[in-house]
Amino acid sequence: MLAAVALMGLLRFCLKRLALLVPVLLGVTVLTFVIARVAVPNPARAWAGLKASQATVEAIAVRYHLHDPIYVQYFYYLFDLLSGDWGTSPVSGQPVLENLAGYFPATLELSIVAIIIAAVLGIPLGVHAAVKQDKPTDHVVRLFSLGTYCIPPFLMALVMQLVVFYWLRLLPSGGRISPFITPPRHITGLLILDSVLTGNLQTLESSTVHILLPASALALLTFGVITRLMRSSMLEVLRQDYVRTARSKGLSERVVVFKHALRNGLISIVTVLALLFATMLSGAIVIEYIFNWPGIGRYAVQSILALDLPAVMGTTLLFALIVVLVNLLADIAYAVLDPRIRLD
Amino acid sequence: MSLLERSELKLTGKYLLKNKLSLAGGMVVAAYFVLVVVVLLSGEALLPYDPYAQNFGVALQSPGLNHLFGTDDLGRDIFSRVIAGVPFDAEIAFVVVLVSLAFGGTVGAFAGYLGGRIEEIMMRVTDIFLAFPALVLAMAVAIAIGPGLTHSMMALLVVWWPWYARIGRGEALSIKSSQYIEAAHAAGLSEFQVVIRHVLPNILMPLLVYATLDVSNVILTGTILSFIGLGAQPPQPEWGRMVFDGQDYLASAWWMSIIPATAIFVVVLAFSLFGDGLRDAFDPRLRRR
Amino acid sequence: MSAEVLSIENLRLNFNTEQGALYALRGVDLAVGRNEVVGLVGESGCGKTVLGLSVLGLNPMPPAQLLDGSRILFKGRDIAGLNQSELTLVRGTGISMIFQEPMTSLNPVFTVGEQIAESIKLRLQREQSEKSRSSSTKVGAEVLDALRLVRIADPQRVAHSYPHELSGGMKQRAMIAMALAAKPLVLIADEPTTALDVTIQAQILTLMRGLMREVQTSILFITHDLGVIAEIADRVAVMYAGQIVEEANVQDLFSNPLHPYTQGLLGSLPKLSELDKEIEQLPGSVPDAMNPPKGCSFHPRCKHVTDQCRMTTPKFVVSGSGHKVACHLYHE
């Protein structure tokens, strides 16, 4: 009974937040429109492809209303987006949205695994550094987390590829699964999940082994931020009165830190994790390209190298949508974790 | 400089000295500055080899006495190219950060100080820009306006100013109710004058501290842009581009990619350590420890 | 003495800061007897909160340092020198504490019931020598009992509430319930009513007085408010600059204050019966904890000061009714 009421409140909260997003989303489309049609010196040529004939260029200009005034163009642009027409890639010949949908699960899977690894590394390290504040361990952890954030993504990826793949032959590099195995039946598009759902041990092993290298590279780039934030968050929480109360009750230090303090410490970190996600997406672009991981990051790089403007713009828009969505999820998670928020 | 400011600086100096890592970072940053100036002034005169000279006879040689960092697939000396490439990223970083700071910081300060509708609008606009990961938006702008170093600088400027607008607003908000602002009002200054003469100078310091840390981010993003071909064009010896060119030879000549990539790492790390220490030094709460 | 549950002897505690050592407690002797309420009164900065925290070792130990010779006797053991893990076993087992700010002293992400249940589960665990799993219904029933004990009308609702959903008075009752759920012999109450409205204050004090009789727990009641002391304490100790300067049962202290500081404190209270009299003020201010005055710490502000006061620290002098005072004005 109480649970149902709480759920209703949460739903109302979600809907309210979603409503606030609409202007931002519209603004995002405006910005991509400006870049895609206004900032480009010759939009018709760019959208038709560099090798297209003059006839094709003209056809493209008509299709996208490029001779019409700007605001008319924008409305057609928005309409196209909402009806699923995100342009056609002159390089692949396919609709951009189709390409993106095809490559998206790979990036999703990579990001999820990377965040898990980063959290598993970063959260305990951050808690440890906070508990041992100012002792040598703390300084080492702080330096390490700062340092890894400074590593250029391509350095991280290339070094790992060089050492783990070329020299040590420990893990494969390239592709999501061994080319000699049939992938599992497509349910979600996430190979590891699909392998588990279909009980396919062989593909489970292969897909896990293939994701490890790129996911670790991505995780190592970003876990430092989690560590530093967890540390400062915990330091703040450990100073609070309720931690003192918990200690006064005779609870062991472990319970005090991991039950009373951590739950509060995690709350403030959730929203920053969303910001971190945006950084991780940027890192994924380079990582996917170097490890030949068939996700939207690699698609973005290949499109740039091929000067495929529709594909790049589509990918850009998708990235923005993902960031906005993740921020919304973080807000919701915040509301779930902190009982004070729901009384909105 | 007032007495208070002088003692503030002394405390800052003392704190920075205590933090040896930041100091090390600061020294590398200083060395980097010097290097930039030297390379810009002396051109290729001080380099052991011509960074553009191809020599297939010595292609793909591993680092050694003749070629400190080895040679690339066209026989060019990597050490000379790395040094020659120093100004590229430096130029991008400084121009982008300083212009973003000036423009974004001012816009943000006005928005934060004036409040109301103007602030709302600015927040929405920056929200929109910040919805895009920096690299992604820069890529989109860069591909739209075409490749090249200047164009990538422009793309980065478009992407970077909103961060400074946000910070400028925050800082302006926090000093909005300060006494000297009230005094300026009482003295009859217009809003515009108050912002220019009192708000901006006082938010400059936190903006600069943030900017020092931010140089790292700009360099990282800028080199990635070059990596994917949107920045400096070959045969310019820009570090990001060099990493890209060396990818195919990773297994046989790892130094082609790894060395310029490490150079980027060192510079980025130096700015981060220095900026981190600078930020701690200016944070009044941390100084007491 | 056998009637004492808690005995603090020669407690000396410093805070080591970058600028030097802060002498927070300079040789405190205090005893709490069975079923009695001992009031500890003093201005802010005199060290009374530090003393309360010291019993359970809750002062953050890197800056805080307990000096040799300090003893805190509880259940026949000296718990003063114990390390943090040993202290964990003492806390919640015989000594409980409640704090000044109920707003921030309860964990905002757990319900009140959950937090009270923690104390109960811990107590049950320690009472039974093996780790037998106390049934959740049993614990739940005890939680409701604990809330009823502090006169909360709707214990079910409050148990399922989060701290921010309750008023200040309710939160403090919940804190008391939580502390008493551990069935302590001594309850240390650090300014529990200071953050509350005056009317709520009165309610809580009445509650605590009633509870004391019901559950047979002694209370060490720390406060700066003499009015509160008059209402709740059996015996009072007056603290100044890290030392106890006077100690007596509550009637004796109020009717016959001996130490000049106590007299000043009482004199500065406005009394209805003396409306036209000027309020006395204690001249000067609380001494710097890093540089306490030599001799008697009160001498810079005392109107009866003599050379002896400036040189030697006065020792305690006890009268027949147990009225102790540390002042050179009085002799055995």
Side-chain angles (χ1 to χ4, degrees), chain C residues 42-312:
Chain C
E43 295 167 286
S44 16
C46 71
K48 52 191 198 295
T49 300
V50 175
L51 181 61
L53 291 173
S54 301
V55 176
L56 288 177
L58 289 172
N59 290 299
M61 272 314 172
Q65 186 193 6
L66 210 58
L67 298 181
D68 285 333
S70 312
R71 296 193 347 140
I72 302 173
L73 295 169
F74 178 68
K75 282 201 202 163
R77 298 169 68 193
D78 180 10
I79 63 174
L82 297 181
N83 63 37
Q84 286 297 312
S85 42
E86 291 165 331
L87 275 168
T88 315
L89 293 168
V90 176
R91 298 167 186 155
T93 316
I95 308 182
S96 290
M97 189 158 178
I98 60 177
F99 302 92
Q100 180 173 346
E101 289 279 358
M103 241 62 63
T104 51
S105 296
L106 287 169
N107 197 324
V109 299
F110 295 116
T111 60
V112 167
E114 284 173 311
Q115 299 186 53
I116 297 179
E118 267 187 326
S119 297
I120 296 173
K121 277 191 253 190
L122 198 65
R123 192 198 84 229
L124 290 174
Q125 228 178 297
R126 287 182 185 168
E127 275 175 5
Q128 295 134 6
S129 41
E130 344 81 49
K131 250 196 175 171
S132 56
R133 262 190 287 134
S134 28
S135 75
S136 51
T137 22
K138 180 162 185 251
V139 174
E142 274 211 46
V143 169
L144 296 176
D145 283 340
L147 289 170
R148 276 187 217 105
L149 186 66
V150 293
R151 314 280 186 272
I152 287 180
D154 189 355
Q156 273 280 4
R157 184 185 67 86
V158 171
H160 288 290
S161 302
Y162 288 96
H164 66 277
E165 294 169 336
L166 303 171
S167 70
M170 290 284 261
K171 278 198 276 262
Q172 197 57 291
R173 285 176 199 262
M175 280 264 283
I176 297 173
M178 191 165 73
L180 291 179
K183 304 227 203 294
L185 285 169
V186 182
L187 174 67
I188 303 178
D190 185 9
E191 309 250 29
T193 54
T194 308
L196 304 170
D197 293 334
V198 183
T199 37
I200 311 289
Q201 220 179 70
Q203 284 176 18
I204 300 288
L205 286 176
T206 323
L207 173 70
M208 286 179 83
R209 261 209 315 270
L211 279 178
M212 235 230 30
R213 279 189 287 270
E214 257 186 73
V215 299
Q216 318 234 303
T217 301
S218 309
I219 304 181
L220 174 61
F221 200 104
I222 303 173
T223 180
H224 65 277
D225 189 337
L226 284 162
V228 168
I229 285 284
E231 273 211 50
I232 195 160
D234 298 321
R235 231 169 12 101
V236 186
V238 179
M239 200 161 166
Y240 184 78
Q243 292 168 320
I244 309 256
V245 296
E246 185 169 359
E247 193 186 317
N249 66 49
V250 66
Q251 296 101 321
D252 283 349
L253 193 88
F254 277 82
S255 58
N256 185 23
L258 295 178
H259 197 282
Y261 176 60
T262 320
Q263 293 168 348
L265 276 182
L266 287 169
S268 60
L269 280 179
K271 293 191 197 53
L272 275 173
S273 52
E274 301 170 9
L275 279 175
D276 47 352
K277 198 170 149 210
E278 237 186 77
I279 296 183
E280 278 182 45
Q281 249 193 20
L282 273 171
S285 51
V286 178
D288 178 13
M290 283 208 257
N291 255 324
K294 285 203 188 32
C296 171
S297 352
F298 191 64
H299 82 248
R301 304 166 79 180
C302 184
K303 46 184 172 183
H304 310 285
V305 62
T306 66
D307 279 329
Q308 192 191 21
C309 304
R310 293 196 186 94
M311 309 246 274
T312 22

Side-chain angles (χ1 to χ4, degrees), chain B residues 288-289, chain C residues 18-19:
Chain B
R288 289 302 122 79
R289 288 193 301 109
Chain C
E18 269 179 32
Q19 291 94 346

